[in-house]
Amino acid sequence: CGAYNHLIASRTEYLMRHMKNPQLYVLGHKGLPLLQKYASHMKGHQHIKEIISYASVKPLAQKLISDFYAGTINSCIIVYTKFKSILS
């Protein structure tokens, strides 16, 4: 899983380097150690223990929508993983 998690962190780092004034929100706990170098851009973290559902991310979704309408942010890029086991 280390290479899998590193790949998503690398893609996030690429986006962070090429954006003007990026803001980072991390869901879950595995991304935190890999993205610590961007701590100054980290605007929020939410630890999620259960399977991610709309209800579990609703507070963040509402904040991002509100910030977008207020003009605080002009875009939102979501970087995520979806693991597929070869056994399933």
Side-chain angles (χ1 to χ4, degrees), residues 16-63:
M16 296 288 289
R17 284 193 308 268
H18 292 88
M19 294 177 71
K20 184 178 179 182
N21 193 26
Q23 297 179 17
L24 182 62
Y25 294 87
V26 179
L27 298 176
H29 65 281
K30 291 185 180 180
L32 281 177
L34 298 171
L35 298 169
Q36 279 303 95
K37 67 173 99 177
Y38 295 103
S40 64
H41 297 285
M42 199 168 297
K43 301 300 178 188
H45 169 258
Q46 181 178 343
H47 183 71
I48 298 176
K49 293 181 182 178
E50 74 275 359
I51 294 173
I52 293 178
S53 65
Y54 179 73
S56 64
V57 297
K58 185 176 179 181
L60 177 58
Q62 288 175 326
K63 177 179 181 6

Side-chain angles (χ1 to χ4, degrees), residues 47-85:
H47 183 71
I48 298 176
K49 293 181 182 178
E50 74 275 359
I51 294 173
I52 293 178
S53 65
Y54 179 73
S56 64
V57 297
K58 185 176 179 181
L60 177 58
Q62 288 175 326
K63 177 179 181 6
L64 293 172
I65 291 167
S66 175
D67 287 353
F68 181 79
Y69 283 131
T72 308
I73 61 173
N74 61 9
S75 65
C76 176
I77 299 171
I78 299 171
V79 181
Y80 66 96
T81 62
K82 182 175 182 179
F83 181 73
K84 285 189 172 185
S85 170

